[in-house]
Amino acid sequence: MDAHFLPISRVRQAPSVAVVVDVMRAYTVAAWAFARGAEKIVLAESTAEALALTARHPGWVALKDGPPAPGFDLVNSPGLLRSADLSGRTVVQKTTAGTVGALAVKHAPLVLCAGFVVAEATARVLRAGGYEEVTFVVTGEDGRADEDLACAEYIAHRATGPDTTAATATGPATETAGAPGATTGPATDTTTAPGYTTDRATTDRAAPYLRRAAASRAAVELATGIREGAHADDVALCLELDRFPFAMAATLEDGLMVLRPHTPH
């Protein structure tokens, strides 16, 4: 697999396969939303679009970066989201980088959105597809966010390197129509157990990537309270390796970029 690592600003055309990485915190939050029962996540172009969508669909809930704001039900924090009941709900998410990255590659045939919490599941999708070329969109800080780059490099390593069968899934997903060899749909609530059990070798391989993420600018700003709308556990939750047993795939549906759980067999 030929892996390319690009910032959003350098995405010129839709790649054949895109993995959009936002560790702190968009796609950690998205994974927690699915674990808490969300059916789908609509990735909004702007806060105005997010509010317009929830106005048209009263049952939908809106989520954004930063502190609480009128019209928004949730903030982009896994620590604050993990106690929410989102059973059967549609979440509309607008963030500074993560959602922007996914929308930049919305015409790609396959778009996966990822963080460390779904790293192995994402790598399994790539391995199962046998893709020759994959573009990793490193969303934070115009591609310089080390937490995102470290995660992208780790997923690429897991997808292409040796010993790629060490992790074992421990949770099911709801079976619906979807891509061959995959289940898609609302995830089961996996808040009490990791999505994969990993052996010592896998943990050791991940350690340098996780250390880079823990020392990143985003982690420091979250830990020191510089970023608003945060919980004290956010950094730790973003660095939980393989917390959930599903990947997350985004597709265009009626003109909207919609994210759903996607679990390879």
Side-chain angles (χ1 to χ4, degrees), residues 215-263:
S216 68
R217 175 181 173 182
V220 171
E221 289 182 354
L222 284 169
T224 57
I226 292 174
R227 297 194 181 189
E228 296 184 281
H231 185 279
D233 293 339
D234 277 357
V235 173
L237 291 171
C238 290
L239 299 181
E240 282 192 299
L241 184 66
D242 303 330
R243 181 67 174 80
F244 302 111
F246 51 85
M248 300 182 292
T251 56
L252 283 171
E253 299 180 16
D254 298 323
L256 298 174
M257 195 63 165
V258 177
L259 188 64
R260 297 179 187 274
H262 176 99
T263 306

Short mmCIF file of all heavy atoms in Angstrom, two decimals, residues 215-263:
data_model
loop_
_atom_site.label_atom_id
_atom_site.label_comp_id
_atom_site.label_asym_id
_atom_site.label_seq_id
_atom_site.Cartn_x
_atom_site.Cartn_y
_atom_site.Cartn_z
N ALA A 215 2.23 14.33 23.64
CA ALA A 215 3.08 15.52 23.76
C ALA A 215 2.71 16.60 22.75
O ALA A 215 3.39 17.64 22.69
CB ALA A 215 4.54 15.12 23.56
N SER A 216 1.67 16.41 21.99
CA SER A 216 1.30 17.34 20.93
C SER A 216 0.75 18.65 21.49
O SER A 216 0.34 18.74 22.66
CB SER A 216 0.25 16.71 20.01
OG SER A 216 -0.99 16.55 20.69
N ARG A 217 0.73 19.64 20.64
CA ARG A 217 0.19 20.95 21.03
C ARG A 217 -1.27 20.83 21.46
O ARG A 217 -1.69 21.42 22.46
CB ARG A 217 0.32 21.91 19.86
CG ARG A 217 -0.32 23.27 20.08
CD ARG A 217 -0.14 24.14 18.84
NE ARG A 217 -0.89 25.38 18.95
CZ ARG A 217 -0.94 26.29 17.99
NH1 ARG A 217 -0.28 26.10 16.85
NH2 ARG A 217 -1.63 27.41 18.16
N ALA A 218 -2.04 20.04 20.71
CA ALA A 218 -3.46 19.90 21.04
C ALA A 218 -3.63 19.28 22.43
O ALA A 218 -4.48 19.72 23.21
CB ALA A 218 -4.16 19.04 19.99
N ALA A 219 -2.83 18.26 22.73
CA ALA A 219 -2.94 17.62 24.04
C ALA A 219 -2.60 18.59 25.16
O ALA A 219 -3.28 18.63 26.20
CB ALA A 219 -2.02 16.40 24.09
N VAL A 220 -1.55 19.37 24.96
CA VAL A 220 -1.16 20.35 25.98
C VAL A 220 -2.26 21.40 26.18
O VAL A 220 -2.60 21.75 27.31
CB VAL A 220 0.17 21.02 25.59
CG1 VAL A 220 0.49 22.18 26.53
CG2 VAL A 220 1.31 20.00 25.62
N GLU A 221 -2.81 21.88 25.08
CA GLU A 221 -3.85 22.91 25.19
C GLU A 221 -5.12 22.37 25.85
O GLU A 221 -5.78 23.08 26.61
CB GLU A 221 -4.16 23.47 23.80
CG GLU A 221 -3.02 24.33 23.25
CD GLU A 221 -3.33 24.93 21.90
OE1 GLU A 221 -4.40 24.60 21.32
OE2 GLU A 221 -2.52 25.77 21.43
N LEU A 222 -5.45 21.11 25.58
CA LEU A 222 -6.61 20.52 26.24
C LEU A 222 -6.33 20.31 27.72
O LEU A 222 -7.18 20.59 28.57
CB LEU A 222 -6.96 19.19 25.58
CG LEU A 222 -7.67 19.27 24.23
CD1 LEU A 222 -7.72 17.90 23.56
CD2 LEU A 222 -9.09 19.82 24.39
N ALA A 223 -5.14 19.81 28.03
CA ALA A 223 -4.80 19.52 29.43
C ALA A 223 -4.70 20.76 30.28
O ALA A 223 -4.96 20.72 31.49
CB ALA A 223 -3.50 18.72 29.48
N THR A 224 -4.31 21.89 29.68
CA THR A 224 -4.11 23.12 30.45
C THR A 224 -5.31 24.06 30.39
O THR A 224 -5.25 25.16 30.93
CB THR A 224 -2.86 23.85 29.95
OG1 THR A 224 -2.99 24.12 28.54
CG2 THR A 224 -1.61 23.02 30.19
N GLY A 225 -6.38 23.64 29.73
CA GLY A 225 -7.59 24.44 29.70
C GLY A 225 -7.60 25.56 28.70
O GLY A 225 -8.50 26.42 28.73
N ILE A 226 -6.63 25.58 27.78
CA ILE A 226 -6.62 26.64 26.76
C ILE A 226 -7.80 26.49 25.81
O ILE A 226 -8.41 27.48 25.39
CB ILE A 226 -5.28 26.61 25.99
CG1 ILE A 226 -4.14 27.03 26.93
CG2 ILE A 226 -5.33 27.52 24.77
CD1 ILE A 226 -2.77 26.90 26.31
N ARG A 227 -8.12 25.24 25.49
CA ARG A 227 -9.26 24.99 24.59
C ARG A 227 -10.54 24.88 25.40
O ARG A 227 -10.62 24.15 26.38
CB ARG A 227 -9.04 23.71 23.78
CG ARG A 227 -7.82 23.80 22.87
CD ARG A 227 -7.79 22.71 21.82
NE ARG A 227 -6.61 22.83 20.99
CZ ARG A 227 -6.40 22.12 19.89
NH1 ARG A 227 -7.31 21.23 19.49
NH2 ARG A 227 -5.30 22.28 19.18
N GLU A 228 -11.55 25.61 24.96
CA GLU A 228 -12.82 25.62 25.66
C GLU A 228 -13.67 24.41 25.25
O GLU A 228 -13.41 23.76 24.24
CB GLU A 228 -13.57 26.92 25.36
CG GLU A 228 -12.87 28.17 25.87
CD GLU A 228 -13.69 29.42 25.62
OE1 GLU A 228 -13.68 29.91 24.48
OE2 GLU A 228 -14.34 29.89 26.56
N GLY A 229 -14.69 24.15 26.07
CA GLY A 229 -15.56 23.02 25.79
C GLY A 229 -14.87 21.70 25.95
O GLY A 229 -15.09 20.76 25.18
N ALA A 230 -14.02 21.60 26.96
CA ALA A 230 -13.23 20.39 27.17
C ALA A 230 -13.54 19.77 28.53
O ALA A 230 -14.06 20.43 29.44
CB ALA A 230 -11.75 20.70 27.05
N HIS A 231 -13.19 18.50 28.66
CA HIS A 231 -13.31 17.76 29.92
C HIS A 231 -11.92 17.31 30.32
O HIS A 231 -11.05 17.08 29.46
CB HIS A 231 -14.24 16.56 29.71
CG HIS A 231 -14.55 15.80 30.96
ND1 HIS A 231 -13.69 14.85 31.48
CD2 HIS A 231 -15.64 15.81 31.77
CE1 HIS A 231 -14.23 14.33 32.57
NE2 HIS A 231 -15.41 14.89 32.77
N ALA A 232 -11.69 17.15 31.61
CA ALA A 232 -10.37 16.76 32.09
C ALA A 232 -9.90 15.42 31.53
O ALA A 232 -8.69 15.16 31.46
CB ALA A 232 -10.38 16.71 33.62
N ASP A 233 -10.83 14.56 31.13
CA ASP A 233 -10.46 13.24 30.62
C ASP A 233 -10.29 13.21 29.10
O ASP A 233 -10.01 12.14 28.54
CB ASP A 233 -11.53 12.21 31.00
CG ASP A 233 -11.59 11.95 32.49
OD1 ASP A 233 -10.59 12.23 33.19
OD2 ASP A 233 -12.63 11.46 32.97
N ASP A 234 -10.45 14.33 28.42
CA ASP A 234 -10.46 14.30 26.96
C ASP A 234 -9.19 13.72 26.35
O ASP A 234 -9.23 12.90 25.43
CB ASP A 234 -10.72 15.70 26.39
CG ASP A 234 -12.19 16.05 26.36
OD1 ASP A 234 -13.03 15.19 26.71
OD2 ASP A 234 -12.51 17.20 25.98
N VAL A 235 -8.03 14.14 26.84
CA VAL A 235 -6.78 13.66 26.25
C VAL A 235 -6.66 12.15 26.42
O VAL A 235 -6.36 11.41 25.47
CB VAL A 235 -5.56 14.38 26.85
CG1 VAL A 235 -4.26 13.74 26.35
CG2 VAL A 235 -5.59 15.86 26.49
N ALA A 236 -6.92 11.66 27.62
CA ALA A 236 -6.83 10.22 27.88
C ALA A 236 -7.80 9.45 27.00
O ALA A 236 -7.46 8.39 26.45
CB ALA A 236 -7.09 9.93 29.35
N LEU A 237 -9.00 9.97 26.83
CA LEU A 237 -10.00 9.28 26.00
C LEU A 237 -9.58 9.28 24.53
O LEU A 237 -9.82 8.31 23.81
CB LEU A 237 -11.36 9.95 26.16
CG LEU A 237 -12.03 9.77 27.52
CD1 LEU A 237 -13.26 10.66 27.64
CD2 LEU A 237 -12.39 8.31 27.76
N CYS A 238 -8.93 10.33 24.08
CA CYS A 238 -8.47 10.39 22.69
C CYS A 238 -7.31 9.45 22.43
O CYS A 238 -7.05 9.11 21.27
CB CYS A 238 -8.05 11.82 22.33
SG CYS A 238 -9.43 12.99 22.21
N LEU A 239 -6.62 9.03 23.47
CA LEU A 239 -5.45 8.17 23.32
C LEU A 239 -5.74 6.72 23.69
O LEU A 239 -4.80 5.92 23.82
CB LEU A 239 -4.29 8.71 24.16
CG LEU A 239 -3.82 10.11 23.80
CD1 LEU A 239 -2.65 10.52 24.69
CD2 LEU A 239 -3.42 10.20 22.34
N GLU A 240 -7.01 6.36 23.83
CA GLU A 240 -7.37 4.96 24.09
C GLU A 240 -7.25 4.17 22.79
O GLU A 240 -8.06 4.32 21.88
CB GLU A 240 -8.79 4.86 24.63
CG GLU A 240 -8.93 5.20 26.08
CD GLU A 240 -10.30 4.80 26.61
OE1 GLU A 240 -11.30 5.32 26.10
OE2 GLU A 240 -10.36 3.96 27.52
N LEU A 241 -6.25 3.33 22.71
CA LEU A 241 -6.00 2.58 21.49
C LEU A 241 -7.08 1.51 21.27
O LEU A 241 -7.37 0.71 22.17
CB LEU A 241 -4.63 1.91 21.57
CG LEU A 241 -4.17 1.15 20.33
CD1 LEU A 241 -3.94 2.11 19.16
CD2 LEU A 241 -2.89 0.36 20.64
N ASP A 242 -7.69 1.53 20.07
CA ASP A 242 -8.65 0.50 19.66
C ASP A 242 -9.80 0.35 20.65
O ASP A 242 -10.24 -0.76 20.97
CB ASP A 242 -7.94 -0.85 19.46
CG ASP A 242 -6.82 -0.75 18.45
OD1 ASP A 242 -6.92 0.08 17.53
OD2 ASP A 242 -5.85 -1.52 18.56
N ARG A 243 -10.30 1.46 21.13
CA ARG A 243 -11.39 1.44 22.12
C ARG A 243 -12.66 0.84 21.54
O ARG A 243 -13.42 0.19 22.26
CB ARG A 243 -11.66 2.89 22.57
CG ARG A 243 -12.78 3.03 23.62
CD ARG A 243 -12.34 2.38 24.92
NE ARG A 243 -13.29 2.59 25.98
CZ ARG A 243 -14.42 1.90 26.14
NH1 ARG A 243 -14.76 1.00 25.27
NH2 ARG A 243 -15.21 2.14 27.18
N PHE A 244 -12.89 1.03 20.23
CA PHE A 244 -14.14 0.58 19.62
C PHE A 244 -13.88 -0.39 18.48
O PHE A 244 -12.85 -0.27 17.79
CB PHE A 244 -14.94 1.80 19.13
CG PHE A 244 -15.25 2.78 20.22
CD1 PHE A 244 -14.65 4.02 20.26
CD2 PHE A 244 -16.13 2.45 21.24
CE1 PHE A 244 -14.92 4.92 21.28
CE2 PHE A 244 -16.40 3.34 22.27
CZ PHE A 244 -15.81 4.58 22.29
N PRO A 245 -14.81 -1.31 18.22
CA PRO A 245 -14.59 -2.37 17.23
C PRO A 245 -15.02 -2.01 15.83
O PRO A 245 -15.05 -2.89 14.97
CB PRO A 245 -15.44 -3.52 17.78
CG PRO A 245 -16.60 -2.83 18.41
CD PRO A 245 -16.03 -1.57 19.03
N PHE A 246 -15.36 -0.78 15.59
CA PHE A 246 -15.84 -0.38 14.27
C PHE A 246 -14.95 0.72 13.69
O PHE A 246 -14.35 1.50 14.42
CB PHE A 246 -17.29 0.13 14.33
CG PHE A 246 -17.52 1.18 15.39
CD1 PHE A 246 -17.26 2.53 15.14
CD2 PHE A 246 -18.00 0.84 16.65
CE1 PHE A 246 -17.46 3.50 16.12
CE2 PHE A 246 -18.21 1.80 17.64
CZ PHE A 246 -17.94 3.13 17.36
N ALA A 247 -14.87 0.75 12.37
CA ALA A 247 -14.33 1.91 11.66
C ALA A 247 -15.49 2.86 11.39
O ALA A 247 -16.64 2.58 11.77
CB ALA A 247 -13.66 1.46 10.36
N MET A 248 -15.22 3.98 10.73
CA MET A 248 -16.28 4.94 10.42
C MET A 248 -16.12 5.38 8.97
O MET A 248 -15.07 5.90 8.59
CB MET A 248 -16.22 6.13 11.37
CG MET A 248 -16.38 5.75 12.84
SD MET A 248 -16.38 7.18 13.99
CE MET A 248 -14.66 7.72 13.83
N ALA A 249 -17.16 5.18 8.17
CA ALA A 249 -17.12 5.52 6.75
C ALA A 249 -18.12 6.62 6.45
O ALA A 249 -19.26 6.59 6.92
CB ALA A 249 -17.43 4.28 5.90
N ALA A 250 -17.69 7.59 5.65
CA ALA A 250 -18.55 8.72 5.28
C ALA A 250 -18.89 8.64 3.80
O ALA A 250 -18.02 8.37 2.96
CB ALA A 250 -17.85 10.04 5.58
N THR A 251 -20.15 8.87 3.49
CA THR A 251 -20.61 8.86 2.10
C THR A 251 -21.59 10.01 1.88
O THR A 251 -22.21 10.50 2.84
CB THR A 251 -21.32 7.54 1.75
OG1 THR A 251 -22.40 7.32 2.68
CG2 THR A 251 -20.36 6.36 1.81
N LEU A 252 -21.72 10.42 0.64
CA LEU A 252 -22.71 11.44 0.30
C LEU A 252 -24.09 10.81 0.23
O LEU A 252 -24.30 9.83 -0.48
CB LEU A 252 -22.35 12.09 -1.04
CG LEU A 252 -21.21 13.11 -1.01
CD1 LEU A 252 -20.82 13.51 -2.43
CD2 LEU A 252 -21.60 14.35 -0.20
N GLU A 253 -25.02 11.40 0.97
CA GLU A 253 -26.41 10.94 0.97
C GLU A 253 -27.30 12.17 0.82
O GLU A 253 -27.33 13.03 1.70
CB GLU A 253 -26.76 10.20 2.27
CG GLU A 253 -25.92 8.95 2.51
CD GLU A 253 -26.29 8.23 3.81
OE1 GLU A 253 -27.38 8.51 4.36
OE2 GLU A 253 -25.49 7.39 4.26
N ASP A 254 -27.98 12.27 -0.30
CA ASP A 254 -28.87 13.42 -0.56
C ASP A 254 -28.13 14.75 -0.39
O ASP A 254 -28.66 15.71 0.18
CB ASP A 254 -30.10 13.37 0.34
CG ASP A 254 -30.94 12.13 0.09
OD1 ASP A 254 -31.06 11.71 -1.08
OD2 ASP A 254 -31.48 11.57 1.07
N GLY A 255 -26.89 14.77 -0.85
CA GLY A 255 -26.11 16.00 -0.80
C GLY A 255 -25.41 16.28 0.51
O GLY A 255 -24.68 17.27 0.61
N LEU A 256 -25.59 15.43 1.51
CA LEU A 256 -24.94 15.60 2.80
C LEU A 256 -23.88 14.53 3.01
O LEU A 256 -24.05 13.38 2.58
CB LEU A 256 -25.97 15.52 3.93
CG LEU A 256 -27.08 16.57 3.95
CD1 LEU A 256 -28.10 16.24 5.04
CD2 LEU A 256 -26.50 17.97 4.15
N MET A 257 -22.79 14.90 3.66
CA MET A 257 -21.75 13.94 3.99
C MET A 257 -22.14 13.28 5.31
O MET A 257 -22.21 13.93 6.36
CB MET A 257 -20.40 14.64 4.11
CG MET A 257 -19.19 13.72 4.09
SD MET A 257 -19.04 12.83 2.54
CE MET A 257 -17.36 12.24 2.68
N VAL A 258 -22.39 11.96 5.24
CA VAL A 258 -22.95 11.24 6.38
C VAL A 258 -21.97 10.16 6.83
O VAL A 258 -21.51 9.34 6.03
CB VAL A 258 -24.31 10.61 6.02
CG1 VAL A 258 -24.86 9.80 7.19
CG2 VAL A 258 -25.30 11.70 5.62
N LEU A 259 -21.68 10.16 8.11
CA LEU A 259 -20.75 9.23 8.71
C LEU A 259 -21.53 8.14 9.43
O LEU A 259 -22.48 8.42 10.16
CB LEU A 259 -19.85 9.98 9.70
CG LEU A 259 -18.66 9.24 10.32
CD1 LEU A 259 -17.64 8.85 9.26
CD2 LEU A 259 -18.01 10.10 11.40
N ARG A 260 -21.10 6.88 9.21
CA ARG A 260 -21.74 5.73 9.86
C ARG A 260 -20.67 4.74 10.32
O ARG A 260 -19.59 4.69 9.74
CB ARG A 260 -22.70 5.02 8.91
CG ARG A 260 -23.89 5.86 8.45
CD ARG A 260 -24.78 5.07 7.49
NE ARG A 260 -25.83 5.86 6.90
CZ ARG A 260 -27.03 6.08 7.44
NH1 ARG A 260 -27.30 5.51 8.61
NH2 ARG A 260 -27.93 6.80 6.84
N PRO A 261 -21.00 3.90 11.32
CA PRO A 261 -20.05 2.84 11.71
C PRO A 261 -19.90 1.83 10.58
O PRO A 261 -20.85 1.58 9.82
CB PRO A 261 -20.71 2.18 12.94
CG PRO A 261 -21.88 3.01 13.27
CD PRO A 261 -22.22 3.87 12.14
N HIS A 262 -18.72 1.24 10.46
CA HIS A 262 -18.41 0.33 9.37
C HIS A 262 -17.45 -0.70 9.92
O HIS A 262 -16.33 -0.35 10.32
CB HIS A 262 -17.78 1.14 8.24
CG HIS A 262 -17.32 0.33 7.06
ND1 HIS A 262 -18.05 0.21 5.91
CD2 HIS A 262 -16.19 -0.37 6.85
CE1 HIS A 262 -17.40 -0.53 5.03
NE2 HIS A 262 -16.25 -0.89 5.59
N THR A 263 -17.87 -1.94 9.99
CA THR A 263 -17.06 -2.96 10.65
C THR A 263 -16.75 -4.11 9.70
O THR A 263 -17.67 -4.81 9.28
CB THR A 263 -17.77 -3.52 11.91
OG1 THR A 263 -18.12 -2.43 12.76
CG2 THR A 263 -16.87 -4.48 12.66
#
